[in-house]
Amino acid sequence: MALRDTRIAILKVGAEIVRTKGFNNTGLSEILSRSGVPKGSFYYYFNSKQDFGLHLVDYYAGFLLARTEDFLMDQSVQPVARLRRYFAEFKQGFEADGFQGGCPLGNVSQEMADVSKGFRERIEAVFIQLETMIESCLKEAKSWGEVSVSLDERQTATFILNSWEGAVLRMKVTKSTAPLEVFEQFVFGRLLQ
Amino acid sequence: MALRDTRIAILKVGAEIVRTKGFNNTGLSEILSRSGVPKGSFYYYFNSKQDFGLHLVDYYAGFLLARTEDFLMDQSVQPVARLRRYFAEFKQGFEADGFQGGCPLGNVSQEMADVSKGFRERIEAVFIQLETMIESCLKEAKSWGEVSVSLDERQTATFILNSWEGAVLRMKVTKSTAPLEVFEQFVFGRLLQ
């Protein structure tokens, strides 16, 4: 395999393990042995574990941003319904995974935001991109008359995104969809009316 | 010092370090050297690092539950104002700490909920106690006519607590009070009307 392919293969395996075990709790040797890369060659692909971690944030971000765009920019669906489908899709995925893992971005936030400025800034940039896509969707919802004209799209996007992260965090602890259902009920039943 | 005092001294130092660095990322030797306990005597006080971690959850819980009770059961203040003061107090504390650490309960949730059933169950019990205190406060708010009679106190308590956790998580990344202010605005400006 080319250098780039092997790097992606390592990231793919690493993403799965880190999502459940956490970044600090995951040993490089476990990632390498599971991705079939000889021990000792890790530093051929990444400068350090931190460098690997930053690439991992980008890997997660790529997945999340593509999925968010697919759902929230889908012009064939009404804007509020897009948001509903978006969160429902994640809920279904979490249920299929037995509520393991949660949000990879939330996980690395919790674990790394205080440890490294590099991680913190990279993660914040992704949150802002997600927020901006939710904001756009809310702007469309307003132009369609689906939400109140007094709704502040940016602040609502921030509140929805952060509350979702909190609901997913709690889901990891309860191991049930209940926190996600409460989120849906308040966001779609109260906030976006 | 008696065995119990030394155990508490270790927990106190450990709580501070783990709050910023995370549980898995904190070495026992760092905790011991900073608490002035001879290396090697850790297992005299705790059975394992996991046992220490469970005691740490109880230590955090003791602090959080006492503080929550102080604020939310304070009969000299109107119920919704108690909730406002409660979250404002944490916000002030976070600001004073330079937004380091965040919520210790949220941190251990993110890091340990998928790793150990013992942690998960212990943490969920604390979340339920916090939720129940918020619920009681909302019941009082309803009886005072401060919130709508149609408000479901339990689900609202769940949503508020989880959304707060999400806002604190985001605060760790933005290193500003902005996510907490958006939380306050939606909870007190919209939800508890």
Side-chain angles (χ1 to χ4, degrees):
Chain A
M1 280 196 286
L3 188 142
R4 196 175 160 276
D5 293 341
T6 308
R7 194 183 274 137
I8 290 172
I10 297 173
L11 285 167
K12 200 175 167 190
V13 168
E16 261 317 298
I17 304 176
V18 168
R19 198 166 157 240
T20 311
K21 291 181 67 178
F23 182 70
N24 291 313
N25 200 27
T26 299
L28 294 179
S29 57
E30 183 179 355
I31 296 170
L32 291 171
S33 75
R34 279 183 44 186
S35 44
V37 172
K39 258 189 191 176
S41 67
F42 176 83
Y43 295 98
Y44 182 68
Y45 302 105
F46 301 98
N47 295 327
S48 59
K49 193 181 174 189
Q50 161 128 350
D51 179 49
F52 164 71
L54 289 170
H55 277 86
L56 208 55
V57 172
D58 291 341
Y59 181 87
Y60 287 138
F63 166 79
L64 276 175
L65 293 169
R67 196 176 205 182
T68 305
E69 197 176 334
D70 280 352
F71 276 87
L72 300 191
M73 308 288 142
D74 180 356
Q75 300 293 324
S76 70
V77 181
Q78 292 274 91
V80 171
R82 291 179 215 160
L83 284 161
R84 267 189 193 277
R85 285 176 48 174
Y86 173 64
F87 291 114
E89 174 79 7
F90 278 105
K91 185 174 73 175
Q92 211 170 18
F94 289 136
E95 201 162 12
D97 287 347
F99 311 108
Q100 297 285 312
C103 174
L105 198 66
N107 297 351
V108 287
S109 298
Q110 200 75 280
E111 213 179 340
M112 303 306 289
D114 284 339
V115 178
S116 153
K117 191 163 174 272
F119 273 93
R120 194 179 78 62
E121 290 174 348
R122 195 79 66 109
I123 295 164
E124 179 61 7
V126 184
F127 272 124
I128 287 172
Q129 284 175 278
L130 291 170
E131 230 162 48
T132 303
M133 284 198 257
I134 298 173
E135 182 190 13
S136 297
C137 194
L138 291 174
K139 280 188 174 154
E140 282 191 68
K142 201 191 263 186
S143 74
W144 278 88
E146 287 195 300
V147 297
S148 162
V149 287
S150 67
L151 180 138
D152 180 313
E153 297 95 335
R154 186 68 186 191
Q155 292 200 330
T156 307
T158 301
F159 184 69
I160 289 175
L161 181 59
N162 295 349
S163 294
W164 172 253
E165 285 297 331
V168 172
L169 172 67
R170 183 67 183 282
M171 174 205 78
K172 282 179 69 170
V173 181
T174 63
K175 299 291 176 209
S176 79
T177 52
L180 309 183
E181 277 151 16
V182 170
F183 165 88
E184 288 173 331
Q185 203 173 312
F186 278 86
V187 168
F188 297 104
R190 288 288 303 274
L191 209 56
L192 300 183
Q193 283 293 302
Chain B
M1 282 197 285
L3 186 143
R4 197 176 160 276
D5 293 339
T6 308
R7 192 182 277 140
I8 290 171
I10 298 172
L11 284 168
K12 201 176 165 186
V13 169
E16 261 319 297
I17 305 175
V18 168
R19 198 168 157 241
T20 311
K21 292 181 62 177
F23 181 70
N24 292 314
N25 200 26
T26 299
L28 294 179
S29 57
E30 183 179 356
I31 296 170
L32 291 171
S33 75
R34 278 184 46 186
S35 46
V37 172
K39 257 188 191 180
S41 67
F42 176 83
Y43 295 98
Y44 182 68
Y45 302 105
F46 300 99
N47 295 329
S48 59
K49 193 180 174 190
Q50 161 128 347
D51 179 49
F52 164 70
L54 290 170
H55 278 87
L56 208 56
V57 173
D58 290 342
Y59 181 87
Y60 288 137
F63 166 79
L64 276 175
L65 293 170
R67 195 175 207 186
T68 306
E69 197 175 336
D70 280 353
F71 276 86
L72 301 191
M73 308 286 142
D74 181 356
Q75 299 294 322
S76 71
V77 180
Q78 291 274 90
V80 171
R82 289 179 215 162
L83 283 162
R84 266 188 193 277
R85 287 175 48 173
Y86 172 64
F87 290 114
E89 174 79 8
F90 277 105
K91 184 174 71 176
Q92 211 169 19
F94 288 135
E95 201 162 12
D97 288 348
F99 310 109
Q100 296 285 313
C103 175
L105 199 66
N107 298 350
V108 287
S109 297
Q110 200 73 280
E111 213 178 341
M112 303 305 288
D114 283 339
V115 178
S116 151
K117 193 164 175 269
F119 273 93
R120 193 178 80 62
E121 290 175 347
R122 195 79 66 107
I123 294 163
E124 178 62 8
V126 184
F127 272 125
I128 288 172
Q129 284 175 279
L130 292 170
E131 228 163 47
T132 304
M133 284 198 259
I134 298 173
E135 181 189 15
S136 296
C137 194
L138 291 173
K139 280 188 174 156
E140 281 191 69
K142 200 190 265 189
S143 74
W144 279 88
E146 288 194 300
V147 295
S148 161
V149 287
S150 67
L151 180 138
D152 180 314
E153 297 95 336
R154 186 67 187 192
Q155 291 200 329
T156 307
T158 300
F159 183 69
I160 289 175
L161 181 58
N162 295 349
S163 295
W164 172 253
E165 285 297 331
V168 172
L169 171 67
R170 182 68 183 281
M171 173 206 79
K172 284 179 66 170
V173 181
T174 64
K175 299 293 177 208
S176 80
T177 53
L180 309 183
E181 276 150 18
V182 169
F183 165 88
E184 287 174 334
Q185 203 173 312
F186 278 87
V187 168
F188 297 106
R190 289 287 305 270
L191 207 56
L192 302 184
Q193 284 292 301

